[in-house]
Amino acid sequence: MSVSAFPTSHRSSVISTLRAAGCVFAEDEADLILSTARTPSEVTAMVERRAAGLPLEHVLGWAEFRGLRISVDPGVFVPRRRTEFLVDRAAELAELAGRAAVVVDLCCGSGALGAALAAGLDQVELYAADIDPAAVRCARRNVADAGGEVYEGDLYDPLPDTLRGRVDILLANVPYVPSEEVGLLPAEARVHEARVALDGGADGLDVLRRVTAEAPAWLAPGGHLLFETSEGQVAAAVDAVERAGLVARVVSDEEGYATVVIGTMLIGTAADSAASDLTDSAAPDLLGPSRPVV
């Protein structure tokens, strides 16, 4: 239903309830709930769940990401809008392949990154993997339109061996919050998202180091690994990339609170030359502020 299908007084009541529950963007959230719900009883149930502290995306059952409506099931990591910056950089690099890019989305969660990247490319060969069964079920729905394959398992373990040495774009939305800081995250994350999607170990980079160490075996010549990190972790993240034998560069979007590290198998190709034009910079914060999925 549309927002206009409900009486104005109904919208006002929803806004009041959400605002009383502490929702900063109560008006926007009310409109999203009213446009998603099919009946007044569904509106009531959704408002109650949101007021109880569930993430808006889990209440709605979807999140907007790079123009797509991504299905997000309860407990599954909600794609952050700042991560669109990573996908934008990946799209620029994928287009340089001059053919159907082979893309792997590790720690894929809902599959948002792979699905969004594939949607922006003319041709793509898409694979994704996650250790969380709930995330895998969700991702399979989201990458279906791109003909993507989703595997359940730990990082590279479930991927077919035929991908070794063929991956043009390796997206790795790894958890990078230090274990001791997970408890400081907003309740929407620490309570309602799987800890495995948040906890990056003692310094937040345990999973990343495993990803970078094995990346060269999977990347094609001139292939690229892309992942997010925080400003304070940039030096250690770059070190991990370089220890794996990749050339690291850092790009950031200060407005979007996004810091992305790109590791490239440099072999003097056109793709590598274009990638080197991406300039180094820095950006803030682990999770950063986020507005609702308007």
Side-chain angles (χ1 to χ4, degrees):
M1 297 182 69
S2 66
V3 175
S4 60
F6 294 97
T8 302
S9 59
H10 200 65
R11 179 177 184 272
S12 299
S13 175
V14 170
I15 292 172
S16 297
T17 302
L18 295 176
R19 187 176 290 127
C23 298
V24 177
F25 305 107
E27 291 84 357
D28 292 335
E29 294 192 10
D31 289 342
L32 287 165
I33 289 173
L34 292 169
S35 64
T36 300
R38 292 165 294 185
T39 65
S41 61
E42 281 193 358
V43 172
T44 299
M46 293 170 76
V47 171
E48 289 177 350
R49 294 176 66 211
R50 179 59 178 146
L54 270 71
L56 176 64
E57 295 82 0
H58 289 165
V59 171
L60 298 173
W62 59 273
E64 183 182 339
F65 187 80
R66 210 167 181 253
L68 298 181
R69 182 173 286 199
I70 300 293
S71 295
V72 182
D73 294 337
V76 175
F77 183 80
V78 175
R80 273 51 170 178
R81 293 294 291 273
R82 69 167 182 279
T83 308
E84 293 178 351
F85 179 73
L86 183 155
V87 178
D88 289 343
R89 305 289 75 75
E92 294 170 354
L93 295 170
E95 289 173 354
L96 295 170
R99 53 176 170 73
V102 177
V103 175
V104 169
D105 184 0
L106 282 188
C107 303
C108 69
S110 65
L113 275 65
L117 178 58
L121 299 174
D122 291 334
Q123 294 179 303
V124 68
E125 188 178 332
L126 176 61
Y127 304 86
D130 201 286
I131 198 170
D132 180 8
V136 169
R137 290 192 296 270
C138 190
R140 283 177 175 153
R141 297 199 306 274
N142 287 317
V143 306
D145 286 347
E149 296 285 343
V150 185
Y151 300 90
E152 181 181 333
D154 186 25
L155 299 181
Y156 301 97
D157 287 352
L159 295 178
D161 283 341
T162 52
L163 284 176
R164 289 180 179 273
R166 295 186 55 233
V167 180
D168 298 302
I169 301 293
L170 177 55
L171 307 171
N173 199 18
V174 298
Y176 59 89
V177 180
S179 298
E180 292 186 352
E181 297 182 24
V182 172
L184 304 177
L185 295 175
E188 291 183 2
R190 71 173 187 272
V191 175
H192 300 289
E193 294 179 329
R195 182 163 183 130
V196 70
L198 303 170
D199 191 339
D203 66 351
L205 299 177
D206 284 359
V207 180
L208 173 64
R209 291 189 182 95
R210 294 177 58 209
V211 169
T212 57
E214 292 191 49
W218 296 87
L219 288 173
H224 309 278
L225 163 68
L226 298 94
F227 60 87
E228 282 186 338
T229 191
S230 71
E231 181 181 11
Q233 295 168 318
V234 166
V238 166
D239 180 66
V241 170
E242 293 178 341
R243 284 177 179 272
L246 305 178
V247 175
R249 50 189 63 81
V250 182
V251 293
S252 67
D253 174 17
E254 294 186 5
E255 184 178 348
Y257 297 94
T259 300
V260 171
V261 177
I262 302 173
T264 302
M265 297 266 289
L266 282 180
I267 58 169
T269 64
D272 298 325
S273 176
S276 66
D277 291 337
L278 298 172
T279 57
D280 290 0
S281 53
D285 207 357
L286 282 172
L287 287 180
S290 62
R291 290 182 60 86
V293 287
V294 180

